[in-house]
Amino acid sequence: EPEVTQTPSHQVTQMGQEVILRCVPISNHLYFYWYRQILGQKVEFLVSFYNNEISEKSEIFDDQFSVERPDGSNFTLKIRSTKLEDSAMYFCASRGGTGKYETQYFGPGTRLLVL
Amino acid sequence: AQSVTQPDIHITVSEGASLELRCNYSYGATPYLFWYVQSPGQGLQLLLKYFSGDTLVQGIKGFEAEFKRSQSSFNLRKPSVHWSDAAEYFCAVGLGGGGNKLTFGTGTQLKVEL
């Protein structure tokens, strides 16, 4: 069964450093998402991406964040200058494009720790 | 803005007992409703979803959920719990449309006693 994959599974970085989290969505999917889950809190929407542009973003997704689909398979989330409060589990998800009833499928997550 | 409430943070049941996990949502119209499960070290796996039609939906692993419009609820049930069901369960709502972002509840951690 096709699945969403994410790398790395864990990332430790120093405050102020840039990090890039990588995702390989399901191959025929057209919509891509990033969510995050701070330890002990709920899963929160960050951004959705379709047709090579952001279709929606939350207030969390400020200028420090960016997303990109650099080739036909990868979908990346970049945090330009990490803060302590960026420590969280980051989930990538993808959705097929056959209609609004399509379901989002999630990857296993990247646990980011900012020191 | 839509919101999702899962009032039970932790639930413990004995193996073989029945299970009901509660979920209430707040939204002006009927949203799309989902239950996801997260096992330790794993991603979010879809258990079931409701878009329209029959209000009782069947999912994987023997789970079902019932949409009750009058109560704004979408509770997850299983008649007989297995030890492997121990995990965290998330209810989520989506509004459809192009972006179709999901709004999640805080999750319910299920522990199964043997």
Side-chain angles (χ1 to χ4, degrees):
Chain A
E1 184 178 323
E3 58 182 20
V4 177
T5 59
Q6 290 184 242
T7 55
S9 57
H10 295 79
Q11 172 109 37
V12 181
T13 190
Q14 295 292 323
M15 190 170 56
Q17 294 297 304
E18 173 183 287
V19 295
I20 297 176
L21 309 183
R22 292 184 166 79
C23 169
V24 179
I26 294 171
S27 64
N28 62 345
H29 283 187
L30 300 177
Y31 294 86
F32 314 112
Y33 305 82
W34 284 101
Y35 292 81
R36 79 171 185 190
Q37 183 182 28
I38 295 172
L39 191 64
Q41 298 185 25
K42 63 175 69 176
V43 177
E44 302 172 289
F45 168 78
L46 290 178
V47 66
S48 58
F49 191 86
Y50 170 73
N51 199 25
N52 277 321
E53 59 183 28
I54 291 173
S55 51
E56 187 175 0
K57 60 183 181 179
S58 72
E59 62 274 10
I60 302 168
F61 194 88
D62 62 21
D63 292 343
Q64 294 298 313
F65 291 89
S66 62
V67 289
E68 191 178 31
R69 189 154 162 82
D71 53 44
S73 59
N74 290 283
F75 178 52
T76 61
L77 174 69
K78 182 192 291 185
I79 308 175
R80 233 177 304 278
S81 178
T82 50
K83 307 184 188 75
L84 296 176
E85 56 265 36
D86 294 328
S87 296
M89 178 75 92
Y90 288 81
F91 292 106
C92 173
S94 71
R95 177 168 76 96
T98 59
K100 61 183 178 180
Y101 298 101
E102 277 295 308
T103 300
Q104 292 179 34
Y105 294 90
F106 284 78
T110 293
R111 185 168 294 285
L112 175 66
L113 178 61
V114 182
L115 301 176
Chain B
Q2 72 272 22
S3 66
V4 181
T5 302
Q6 292 181 250
D8 303 306
I9 298 173
H10 298 279
I11 282 186
T12 300
V13 299
S14 300
E15 188 176 38
S18 64
L19 172 71
E20 182 169 32
L21 302 182
R22 296 183 289 166
C23 173
N24 293 94
Y25 68 89
S26 173
Y27 182 58
T30 301
Y32 306 125
L33 298 159
F34 306 82
W35 275 98
Y36 285 86
V37 61
Q38 183 181 27
S39 299
Q42 303 296 313
L44 296 164
Q45 182 184 24
L46 179 71
L47 284 176
L48 47 77
K49 59 190 177 186
Y50 172 80
F51 290 140
S52 64
D54 194 346
T55 56
L56 184 64
V57 293
Q58 303 295 323
I60 61 171
K61 305 184 181 186
F63 285 92
E64 65 178 28
E66 185 172 12
F67 167 59
K68 292 186 177 179
R69 185 191 308 272
S70 61
Q71 299 175 18
S72 296
S73 69
F74 188 56
N75 294 348
L76 182 71
R77 301 194 294 247
K78 186 169 185 178
S80 178
V81 168
H82 188 262
W83 64 266
S84 60
D85 293 325
E88 188 150 24
Y89 291 80
F90 293 93
C91 182
V93 302
L95 299 183
N100 198 26
K101 69 176 183 184
L102 296 180
T103 298
F104 284 83
T106 49
T108 297
Q109 187 72 46
L110 174 66
K111 181 180 174 183
V112 180
E113 290 181 333
L114 301 175

